Amino acid sequence: MVPARCSAEDFENISRELSWWVAGLAVLADWIGSNAEVFRYCDDTSMPLADYWTQSMQRAEQVLANSGVLPPTTQSARSFSDLFPHIAQPSPLQSWAISADLAVSPQIHLLEDVTGAGKTEAAVMLAHRLMAAGCGDGFFVGLPTMATANAMFGRVASVIDKLLPGDVSLVLAHARKTLVGDFAASIISAGQDEGDAQQEDETATHRCTRWLADHNKRALLAPAGVGTVDQVLLAALQSKHQSLRLLGLAHKILLVDEVHACDDYMLRTLEQVLVFHARAGGSAILLSATLPLAMKEALLKAFAKGVQQRVPTLQESAYPLVTSWAADNPSRLIETALETRPEVRRTVTVRYQSELAHVVQGVVEALARGQCVAWIRNTVGDALAAWELLAQSIPVERMTLFHARFCLGDRLDTEEEVLASFGRDSGTNQRAGRLLIATQVAEQSLDVDFDLLVTDLAPMDRIIQRAGRLHRHVRDAQGARLTTAGAQDQRGAAQLWVLGPAWSDAPEAGWFTEAFPRAGKVYPDHGQLWRTARWLRQGQMVMPDDARRWIESVFADDGDLPAGLEKNVSQAQGQGFAARSQAGFSSVKLNRGYQRDGLEWAADSAAPSRLGEDTVDVLLARWVGDVLRPWREDKPASQAWAYSTVRVAKRQISATARPTSPPRAAALDALLQSLPGGGQWVVVLPMDEVDGHWAGMALASAGGAAEPILRAWRYDPELGLTVEEAPGEKSPGALSPKV
C-alpha cells in the first residue's frame, strides 16, 4: 500500500513495483471486456449516455460475477477429520499442520519428510488454515510433471468444496494445454465475434478466444488451481501474459511439491517468483522429501527479500523438519524437528548391480514369485530397451510401459492403469506378477507401491524418491492391504536394486557415459552419481535416519572427488552457473517496473520455464481413406486433437511432410486451417496402417542450411512414438531427456 504521506521518490518506487500487477489487471479487464456476447455494440443513437453507462455497468457486474476470477468469501476453519475423514490418525507432520501457531503476515513453510508421510494432506491443511485466517484468497499447487499434476488434481478435487466456500472452479493446467477427464469447465466464456468488418486488426474476441483456449494462463486466475510448476515460473519470466499470471498468484497460497526437482535454472526462477509473491502479500508452502541445505537457504532468502527482510541462518539438521518464517517477526526462524509415521520408517536393502543380465534375471524371478516390480529408467530409449529385453521372458499383458512419448489420451489411460495395478487400492489380483517399466514420470507424487524396485543410477535425491515407492502401504505377504491399526508389513525387507557402472575408487572420465550413453546428459554431474553409488554400495538405507546425511554428502562441494571426474564436474558446475545466469537475465525485476528489458515477449518460449531441447507438439492423425482423423477420435470432438498430441524434440520432428496425393494434401490443409493459428504451432503426423501398425513420415531438422530429413515414425499405444531407423542412419535413442 502507498503510505498516506510519502516522498516523490518513494511514490515513484512504489508505483514502479505496482506496475507489474496493474499491467495484469489491465490485460484481464481487456479480455473480460472483449466478450461480445455481453458487451454488444450499441447502435441506438437515441440512448442517453447515462443510460448506456448504467447498462454497461450492470453487464460488467454480470460478466465479472460469471468469470470465476473473483476471490471467494472466507471459508470457516474445518478440522483435519472434516477434510480427510479416511485418515484415522494424523501423522506427526499432519499434526503439526493442525496445531502450529500461524502468523497473519506473508509467510513461508518448508515441509521435509519421507515419501508417504502425508506431506500433501499436511500442506492442504496448512493452506486451508491460512485461507481461513485471511492470509490468502485461494491457492495454486505446482508440481514437477504432468503426471504428478494429474494425480494431485484428483486429490485436491475431492476436498475442494471443503477448502473454499461456494461453487469454486478448480482448474488444471500443464504443458498439454488441455483437459483430463475430470476437468471440463471454463472460467471465462470466449463469446462471439464482434462482426465488425471494418476492423483491420485481429478482433478483440479472436484474441480473447485464442487466449482462453490456453487453460494454462487462466488457471492461475481461478481461486483454486493445480498444474505443473512451469505455470508458476512463467509469472517471473519475460514471457507473454507474464503479468496476468503474476496477478493470478497475488494474495494466494502457493504450494510447490517436490521442490527439489528444480534444476539450477528453475530454482533461480522460482526464487524470483517468491520475491514477487511475498511482495504481493502471498504465502508459500514448499514440500520435499530430499531438500539440500543450499537450496533451502536460497528459497528462504528469496521470500524474505520480497518483504525487504533478511532470514536468520539455518541451524537445525534434523529430519523430518518443518522450517517456518514470517514477515511480521523476521528475526525468528522456527525449525521444528518431527518424527515420521511408523509405517514409512523402513530399512531398505540395497543391491548395487553393474550387470544388466543379472538385473533382468532378478526381475523375472521376482515376478515368478508373484511380486510386483518397477524398473525406473533414466531415458525413454533405455525404457524401451528394457521392454524389449523383458518381453522375451514375460507376457506383455503383465507389463506396462509408462513414459512421456505417448499421446496425451494414451498417457492418461496408462496413468489410470498404473494406479489401478499398483496404487493404494490395488489388491493381490491386480499386483501379483505385474511389471512397470517407467521413466521419471513414476518417480514423484504418484501413490504407488511395489514389492521390488529396480532403478538406474541417479543422484541421491532421486534414488530416495524412487525408494519411497517401496512398501508404501502396509500389506500382507500376498500384497493385500492391511488397514487395522498397528498392522505390520508382511512382505519382508524392502528390496532396492540399483543398476550402475562397475564400481571404481578411481573412475575414468567415461565411467558413467560408457555404461549409460543415453543418460549422460540427463544427470550431467557425474561426481554426484559417483558419490551416490559409493553410499549405495553399503547395502542398506535406513529412512529417515540416513536421508539428511546422504543428501548433504552427495551435494556438498567439498572437493571429495576422484581425479578422473573433475573435468566433468567442473563442466557441470559451469553449466549450472550459466543456467542461473540465464534465468537471472530472463526473469523480470521487481524494482524496474513493467517494461520490456532485453527480450521480445512474443511467446512463452522467449524465456522458457525450463532449459533443454526445443520441443514441438505433434498431432497424431490416422488416414481413413483420404480423411484425417485424430488418433483419439473416441474423445469429444472439441478435445480429440488435444488428446492425440505428443511432445517431441524439434531436432527429431520439425515439420509436417506434405502428402503427394492432391486429395490428401487438401485434407491436411483443411485440418491445419481448423487449428489455432492455422496450425503454425504444431506438427501433424498423418499415419497409415501398415502390416498391423500405424506409421507415417515427418521432416526432421538436419541443422544449419541443410535440407530437412524425411524420417519414418511408428506409433503403438503400448510402446509410444518410435522412430524407424533408416539404413545407415544412427538411431537417435531417446527423443528428449525430459519426462
Side-chain angles (χ1 to χ4, degrees):
M1 290 183 63
V2 179
R5 286 188 173 186
C6 67
S7 66
E9 181 181 358
D10 288 341
F11 182 81
E12 181 180 354
N13 291 335
I14 293 171
S15 299
R16 189 180 297 114
E17 290 185 359
L18 283 174
S19 67
W20 293 106
W21 292 274
V22 172
L25 183 63
V27 173
L28 179 60
D30 181 30
W31 292 141
I32 294 177
S34 297
N35 188 333
E37 284 187 345
V38 177
F39 299 105
R40 297 184 178 278
Y41 285 120
C42 179
D43 56 3
D44 183 2
T45 57
S46 64
M47 178 181 289
L49 181 60
D51 293 347
Y52 174 77
W53 178 253
T54 299
Q55 180 188 84
S56 297
M57 289 295 290
Q58 292 172 346
R59 290 174 174 174
E61 290 180 1
Q62 171 197 342
V63 72
L64 191 59
N66 294 334
S67 69
V69 300
L70 293 177
T73 57
T74 301
Q75 172 70 290
S76 57
R78 295 258 191 142
S79 68
F80 187 81
S81 59
D82 284 341
L83 295 180
F84 306 105
H86 63 282
I87 299 179
Q89 180 62 44
S91 70
L93 179 61
Q94 293 164 353
S95 296
W96 172 87
I98 293 169
S99 60
D101 293 333
L102 301 178
V104 293
S105 62
Q107 55 200 278
I108 182 170
H109 303 273
L110 287 83
L111 280 53
E112 300 174 85
D113 205 343
V114 298
T115 57
K119 290 189 295 295
T120 298
E121 291 81 6
V124 169
M125 181 67 199
L126 185 60
H128 171 66
R129 290 185 60 204
L130 288 170
M131 290 186 291
C135 295
D137 297 326
F139 64 90
F140 186 87
V141 187
L143 297 110
T145 66
M146 187 185 78
T148 56
N150 292 342
M152 182 65 74
F153 178 81
R155 297 169 75 177
V156 175
S158 65
V159 295
I160 185 62
D161 59 329
K162 301 174 184 176
L163 294 174
L164 293 170
D167 186 15
V168 174
S169 298
L170 174 64
V171 180
L172 176 67
H174 48 53
R176 296 304 187 193
K177 303 180 183 156
T178 105
L179 335 169
V180 294
D182 292 338
F183 172 49
S186 297
I187 295 177
I188 309 169
S189 299
Q192 298 176 349
D193 191 17
E194 291 92 332
D196 184 357
Q198 295 183 357
Q199 287 194 122
E200 296 180 359
D201 191 11
E202 183 182 28
T203 67
T205 294
H206 274 168
R207 292 195 306 271
C208 181
T209 301
R210 188 170 62 248
W211 177 75
L212 292 171
D214 185 347
H215 293 278
N216 298 336
K217 296 185 181 78
R218 58 195 171 97
L220 295 181
L221 295 171
V226 176
T228 56
V229 71
D230 304 69
Q231 306 311 318
V232 173
L233 300 181
L234 287 168
L237 290 167
Q238 298 181 49
S239 59
K240 196 172 184 181
H241 301 308
Q242 163 272 332
S243 62
L244 197 67
R245 287 185 167 97
L246 205 57
L247 177 70
L249 281 175
H251 204 246
K252 282 195 175 124
I253 312 300
L254 171 62
L255 297 91
V256 180
D257 199 3
E258 313 290 3
V259 70
H260 67 276
C262 293
D263 58 23
D264 290 289
Y265 179 87
M266 296 170 67
L267 176 62
R268 180 67 184 89
T269 307
L270 180 57
E271 291 169 24
Q272 195 66 8
V273 169
L274 292 175
V275 171
F276 275 88
H277 192 57
R279 193 63 170 161
S283 293
I285 304 171
L286 311 180
L287 292 75
S288 177
T290 51
L291 192 60
L293 179 64
M295 184 179 288
K296 187 195 301 189
E297 289 178 336
L299 295 167
L300 286 168
K301 288 179 180 179
F303 190 86
K305 180 181 178 182
V307 288
Q308 300 176 324
Q309 299 287 352
R310 292 179 180 272
V311 67
T313 303
L314 292 165
Q315 302 291 335
E316 184 61 68
S317 61
Y319 182 88
L321 184 70
V322 175
T323 306
S324 302
W325 182 87
D328 61 359
N329 195 353
S331 63
R332 188 184 185 200
L333 180 68
I334 304 174
E335 298 174 275
T336 307
L338 299 170
E339 294 294 325
T340 193
R341 287 173 50 203
E343 303 94 293
V344 294
R345 295 190 67 93
R346 61 172 68 92
T347 298
V348 177
T349 300
V350 181
R351 179 171 178 175
Y352 188 87
Q353 179 59 256
S354 59
E355 295 293 334
L356 178 63
H358 291 171
V359 170
V360 171
Q361 180 181 353
V363 169
V364 172
E365 291 175 352
L367 293 170
R369 293 193 298 269
Q371 293 182 304
C372 65
V373 181
W375 186 353
I376 299 181
R377 309 226 62 186
N378 291 335
T379 71
V380 176
D382 288 328
L384 288 167
W387 173 278
E388 292 178 3
L389 275 174
L390 286 159
Q392 300 172 20
S393 306
I394 303 167
V396 292
E397 61 268 18
R398 305 300 296 169
M399 300 167 59
T400 301
L401 184 64
F402 187 29
H403 56 68
R405 214 191 300 166
F406 290 95
C407 74
L408 177 61
D410 291 347
R411 181 169 170 173
L412 293 172
D413 290 346
T414 302
E415 282 184 32
E416 291 183 4
E417 179 185 336
V418 169
L419 291 171
S421 300
F422 309 107
R424 176 183 295 273
D425 298 324
S426 62
T428 303
N429 292 337
Q430 292 83 18
R431 301 166 57 81
R434 285 205 65 90
L435 170 66
L436 172 69
I437 299 173
T439 57
Q440 294 92 328
V441 294
E443 178 179 290
Q444 301 168 124
S445 296
L446 288 181
D447 191 9
V448 288
D449 170 23
F450 300 97
D451 303 326
L452 169 67
L453 190 132
V454 181
T455 172
D456 292 354
L457 179 62
M460 182 61 76
D461 58 339
R462 301 304 182 101
I463 294 291
I464 291 176
Q465 285 287 331
R466 297 174 188 186
R469 273 61 208 162
L470 277 168
H471 293 198
R472 191 177 175 96
H473 311 126
V474 179
R475 298 180 183 274
D476 66 17
Q478 287 73 44
R481 280 287 306 278
L482 300 175
T483 57
T484 56
Q488 299 293 315
D489 198 281
Q490 299 174 10
R491 290 175 286 179
Q495 299 282 332
L496 175 70
W497 285 33
V498 180
L499 176 63
W503 174 254
S504 173
D505 291 321
E508 299 293 331
W511 173 74
F512 184 76
T513 52
E514 290 173 5
F516 297 97
R518 297 182 181 94
K521 293 183 179 179
V522 177
Y523 302 116
D525 191 327
H526 299 169
Q528 293 177 357
L529 297 172
W530 181 81
R531 286 171 170 160
T532 299
R534 183 175 59 182
W535 277 110
L536 294 173
R537 290 179 68 252
Q538 293 186 3
Q540 183 173 278
M541 177 189 300
V542 181
M543 295 298 290
D545 306 58
D546 289 337
R548 183 78 70 194
R549 180 165 52 98
W550 285 24
I551 288 291
E552 295 306 326
S553 65
V554 166
F555 291 97
D557 185 15
D558 58 7
D560 177 25
L561 285 171
L565 297 180
E566 287 179 353
K567 181 178 180 181
N568 164 269
V569 172
S570 295
Q571 290 175 340
Q573 290 176 343
Q575 292 170 2
F577 292 141
R580 287 185 64 84
S581 177
Q582 183 172 344
F585 172 76
S586 300
S587 298
V588 295
K589 309 299 185 292
L590 179 63
N591 60 356
R592 293 185 185 178
Y594 184 77
Q595 59 178 329
R596 289 186 175 180
D597 186 12
L599 291 177
E600 281 294 321
W601 301 4
D604 292 346
S605 59
S609 58
R610 306 186 192 214
L611 295 183
E613 287 191 291
D614 287 341
T615 58
V616 64
D617 282 336
V618 176
L619 275 59
L620 303 181
R622 310 176 197 240
W623 284 115
V624 180
D626 290 333
V627 178
L628 278 175
R629 301 289 190 192
W631 176 262
R632 292 303 302 262
E633 61 180 327
D634 58 308
K635 299 295 183 180
S638 62
Q639 305 167 22
W641 286 111
Y643 277 105
S644 303
T645 302
V646 60
R647 182 159 289 184
V648 178
K650 282 186 177 179
R651 65 179 173 85
Q652 297 290 346
I653 295 181
S654 58
T656 302
R658 189 162 185 81
T660 57
S661 160
R664 287 194 168 190
L668 176 61
D669 289 340
L671 170 60
L672 292 173
Q673 287 301 312
S674 70
L675 298 172
Q680 61 180 315
W681 300 305
V682 299
V683 173
V684 177
L685 178 59
M687 299 182 294
D688 280 296
E689 190 172 14
V690 181
D691 297 330
H693 66 268
W694 290 87
M697 307 293 290
L699 295 173
S701 174
E707 289 292 320
I709 301 169
L710 190 63
R711 182 170 289 163
W713 293 87
R714 177 185 295 196
Y715 187 78
D716 185 294
E718 288 186 340
L719 301 180
L721 185 65
T722 56
V723 64
E724 296 282 306
E725 189 172 342
E729 181 182 26
K730 184 179 179 181
S731 172
L735 296 185
S736 170
K738 289 189 176 182
V739 292

